[in-house]
Structure formats: C-alpha cells, structure tokens
Amino acid sequence: MLTALETGVQGGVWFRLVDKVYSERNLVQAYQRVAANQGCAGVDRVTVEQFGKQLDANLRQLHDGLRRNNYVPQAVVRHYIPKPGSDKGRPLGIPTVRDRVVQTALRHVLEPIFERGFAAHSYGFRPGRGCKDALRRVQQLLDAGYHYVVDADLQSYFDTIPHERLLERVRQRVADGRVLALLAAFLKQGVLDGLREWTPEEGTPQGAVISPLLSNIYLDPLDRQMAEQGWEMVRYADDFVVMCRSPEEAERALAAVQQWVEGAGLKLHAEKTRIVNVAEGHFDFLGYRFERDQRGPRPKSLEKFKDAIREKTGRNDGRSLLGIIDAVNRTARGWFEYFKHGRRRTFQSLDGWIRMRLRSILRRRRKGRGCGRGADHQRWPNRFFGEQGLFGLVKAHELACQSPLG
C-alpha cells in the first residue's frame, strides 16, 4: 500500500482495502492509539483498561468479525459538554472501546489515501498540522494587506453532513464495498440519549474517531474550488475564514462560499457569518481575537480560563498553598503556551487576578472576609507568590519567542 501511495493506483481508485483494516498489526496499533487517548466507556461499559486486560482475545474477535463481514457497531452514548456562550450543550457521541479501535484501524487505512490530496490551507485534524499553523497563516495574510475577512460559520456542520453525499465523496477514491459498508454502518449506528435510542439520518458524531477525517473529505471540494478561484482561505475543520484585499473581493468570496454550501446540503449560520474590516472591527478564529494590529485571547477564551482557575482557588480549599499553586500552574502553563502571542496587558491583568484569588484564600484562613485587598498586598506581596513558585504570565510572555505565532 505504501508503494502504491507513491506510484499511484490505476484510475486513482482503491479496490481492496478491507484486509488492511482488519490486519492484526493494524488492530494492535489502533488499540495502542485508543489506549493512549483513554476516554470514557461506551454503551457496553467496558473501559480501555478492561479491554486491554484481555487484549489478544478482544482483538482476535474484532479481526474475525471484520474478516467474516459480521462486525456490527454498537450504539454511541450521547453526552453533552458545556458550549461557551450558549445555554445549550455541545453533543458528543461516545463509541465503545471496540468501535473506537475499529474506527482507528479504518482511519489508518483511509487517511493516507485522502491526505495526499487535501488543500494546503486545510489545517484541522491533519498529521503534522495544528491550530498554530492556521493562526500563523492568518497573521501572514493580515500582514500582507488582506484586511477584509469573510468570517464564516457552518451551522451544526458535524450533525448535518448528508450521509449519501459523503459516501459518494469517499467512493471517488475507494471502491471496496466492504469498507464503504463499514463506513455506512458507523454513520448509521444508533445514538443512546438518556433512555431514548434513535438512528441518525445525517451527520457524523463528534467524538467518533473517524469523524474528523470524514469532515475533511466532505469539505475538500470547497477547499479546491476556493483555491482554483484564487481566494485565500484558511480552514480548521468547520471553522474557516477567507482573507481578501477589498470589500468587493470579500463580497464575491462570500457569494462563492454560500453557493457551494447550499449545493452541498449545508447551511451558513446567518447571524455568525459576516464580512469584517479589521481596521474597524474584529474577528475571532481558533480562540484568538484579531483586530487592527493586535491579537489576543477572545473574551470567551479568557472566561473559560478564569473558570478553570476559579475551580482550583476556592476560598475554602483545604489544600496547602503550594498544592493550590501547583494546580494553578498546570492550568496556566497550558493556557499560556497557546495564547502566548497575546497582548502584554492581558497577562498583567490575569496575573493580578490570580494573585487576588490566592490572597483571598490566605485572608480567609486568617478569619478575614471578602477578596484579598488593602493590607493583604503588603502581607503577601507579589514577590511572595513568586517565591512560592507561582507561574507568572507576564514573565513567561517576556521570555517567549516574539516571532509571529511561533
């Protein structure tokens, strides 16, 4: 298969792949990736650890089921996670461990076939690419004068991908009927939502291992069209912007996007899709807010970070100060690594706010009330928290590489 990927296959279509999906070596590697990611148990309540205790038997069962063509995916458990800025939760579908192993094995086989043809401006869920690469490209285009931005939002994208049209896109490169049937089975697997079970008619569940690849396959024609027409598009999964030099260009780009989206059976979110002149306004992309010649965490990203810190700095927290600081540092370091290219004053404000939270804990332990203030700044100065090992965002910002989004 690796040789064929380099030299190509006749007609560009792969006819026999299922044996590569169920090969023992592929299933072992698939399990290793699932185990590394951990995750919750599915509808059968089998955890990754439990699956691994009888790994040989479980993988043999999967191998035989796929080889004999009698493997049937189980239902996914619907779980909702908080969605910033909304009172509605974001729906996730949690497959069983066995289904995650099979989906990973399937992805191992399909991804190399499609990855080679994906557009350069597509960054989401691709090997060797990530958010920072997409953000860096956006900054490069802004620096080059692309100040009119089509800020597009696909409404409920993962939940509305038409199944048959998606499978037709896969058929353009894959003609193995058993692989196509396996994909269709995963798209149609039941959803257990509380006490209700139903079968989806469209969409690919967020949380499924195969969904990111399928989402890129479905949007690949849009990527190609935009590149062929000369538009500077930057896409990360279903989140994308089109960078333009004039309002007229932006209007034409938006019209092109709207036409393609409607033809693909999708919808643009009317309230969230807009054209922005960064000299007068702002747009948000992958957690950052871009405006004029500045960038930094968008308000939702800041509030999410503060919520995480609040959970670790309750005034009645019984842990030692060093224990609390250690927990704060783990969150702050990870958040800073992503947002280190923000404005200095953002980090100054956050440093002061975090120290206020810590002073409030110490104040409470001295039978005081309210937030840390007044004499607390002399009793526990900024230097005190540095000596206790508190991670300083401003200091980290000063030491960070200042190259654009490096």
Side-chain angles (χ1 to χ4, degrees):
M1 183 176 179
L2 291 174
T3 302
L5 284 169
E6 294 296 330
T7 61
V9 293
Q10 187 174 4
V13 180
W14 294 76
F15 286 87
R16 183 164 177 79
L17 292 172
V18 71
D19 58 317
K20 299 169 182 62
V21 175
Y22 63 67
S23 76
E24 294 180 1
R25 182 178 179 182
N26 188 22
L27 289 174
V28 168
Q29 292 176 339
Y31 167 75
Q32 290 171 344
R33 293 189 68 170
V34 170
N37 292 330
Q38 288 298 310
C40 302
V43 68
D44 61 359
R45 299 185 179 181
V46 175
T47 65
V48 173
E49 182 180 3
Q50 290 170 334
F51 188 94
K53 287 181 177 179
Q54 299 189 30
L55 183 60
D56 291 343
N58 285 328
L59 293 185
R60 170 56 61 181
Q61 186 179 44
L62 293 180
H63 170 84
D64 292 343
L66 291 166
R67 183 173 59 83
R68 295 170 182 170
N69 201 28
N70 59 16
Y71 174 86
V72 179
Q74 295 175 281
V76 300
V77 177
R78 176 60 59 88
H79 177 70
Y80 295 89
I81 61 174
K83 186 176 182 180
S86 173
D87 56 357
K88 297 181 180 179
R90 186 186 302 277
L92 292 181
I94 303 175
T96 60
V97 175
R98 65 191 288 274
D99 286 344
R100 299 207 293 270
V101 171
V102 174
Q103 287 191 24
T104 303
L106 185 58
R107 181 172 179 171
H108 284 171
V109 173
L110 294 180
E111 188 170 64
I113 294 172
F114 289 94
E115 171 63 28
R116 296 170 67 84
F118 284 156
H121 63 250
S122 169
Y123 294 92
F125 308 117
R126 296 184 59 189
R129 289 170 166 246
C131 292
K132 282 294 187 71
D133 301 301
L135 291 165
R136 186 180 297 112
R137 180 57 180 160
V138 168
Q139 188 63 54
Q140 289 171 347
L141 290 168
L142 287 172
D143 293 342
Y146 290 81
H147 293 165
Y148 292 87
V149 181
V150 178
D151 185 7
D153 187 279
L154 290 171
Q155 186 170 340
S156 302
Y157 172 61
F158 282 87
D159 294 331
T160 59
I161 301 175
H163 287 173
E164 187 51 42
R165 295 187 190 186
L166 171 59
L167 290 171
E168 184 56 39
R169 300 267 164 84
V170 179
R171 290 190 193 102
Q172 293 173 6
R173 300 298 309 278
V174 175
D176 188 319
R178 289 177 61 181
V179 167
L180 292 168
L182 186 58
L183 276 176
F186 280 124
L187 291 174
K188 294 290 187 182
Q189 67 188 125
V191 177
L192 184 62
D193 191 349
L195 298 178
R196 185 172 69 97
E197 184 172 354
W198 51 279
T199 301
E201 297 298 324
E202 58 185 6
T204 178
Q206 296 186 61
V209 177
I210 200 68
S211 290
L213 174 61
L214 295 179
S215 72
N216 276 335
I217 290 173
Y218 198 68
L219 289 179
D220 184 58
L222 173 62
D223 292 339
R224 293 173 179 273
Q225 177 179 314
M226 300 303 285
E228 290 168 0
Q229 295 178 350
W231 302 115
E232 291 289 355
M233 179 178 177
V234 182
R235 182 173 71 81
Y236 191 96
D238 59 332
D239 195 359
F240 64 91
V241 291
V242 186
M243 316 289 288
C244 304
R245 292 185 180 274
S246 70
E248 293 77 18
E249 282 187 16
E251 292 286 355
R252 292 196 298 272
L254 177 57
V257 170
Q258 288 174 325
Q259 183 179 23
W260 186 91
V261 167
E262 291 174 4
L266 303 172
K267 290 183 180 180
L268 286 174
H269 198 297
E271 296 179 0
K272 296 181 179 179
T273 299
R274 62 201 180 108
I275 294 174
V276 178
N277 177 2
V278 293
E280 301 174 354
H282 67 265
F283 68 97
D284 296 338
F285 187 60
L286 300 181
Y288 269 85
R289 171 158 291 183
F290 292 85
E291 52 186 335
R292 298 182 183 87
D293 58 348
Q294 299 178 332
R295 62 176 178 269
R298 65 175 184 167
K300 290 181 181 178
S301 300
L302 285 171
E303 195 56 35
K304 186 175 181 180
F305 172 67
K306 285 188 170 184
D307 285 343
I309 296 298
R310 287 187 183 102
E311 291 181 2
K312 296 173 172 61
T313 55
R315 293 182 194 175
N316 294 320
D317 195 314
R319 292 175 296 172
S320 68
L321 180 63
L322 291 180
I324 295 172
I325 287 177
D326 182 61
V328 168
N329 285 351
R330 288 197 297 270
T331 296
R333 284 195 176 99
W335 186 87
F336 175 79
E337 180 57 32
Y338 188 77
F339 289 107
K340 63 185 177 183
H341 297 284
R343 297 178 288 269
R344 175 186 171 87
R345 66 173 178 266
T346 297
F347 303 121
Q348 288 177 318
S349 174
L350 287 174
D351 270 345
W353 179 80
I354 291 172
R355 288 192 295 264
M356 180 275 291
R357 299 281 305 178
L358 295 175
R359 287 188 181 104
S360 298
I361 294 173
L362 296 174
R363 181 184 179 90
R364 181 62 177 266
R365 291 178 180 178
R366 293 172 65 92
K367 310 302 181 184
R369 295 183 178 181
C371 300
R373 61 185 186 275
D376 295 335
H377 287 265
Q378 285 72 50
R379 186 176 292 115
W380 302 295
N382 295 352
R383 184 182 66 256
F384 167 80
F385 294 105
E387 292 170 350
Q388 304 305 308
L390 179 65
F391 178 75
L393 294 167
V394 169
K395 183 177 180 180
H397 183 253
E398 292 172 349
L399 297 175
C401 176
Q402 297 302 305
S403 61
L405 295 166

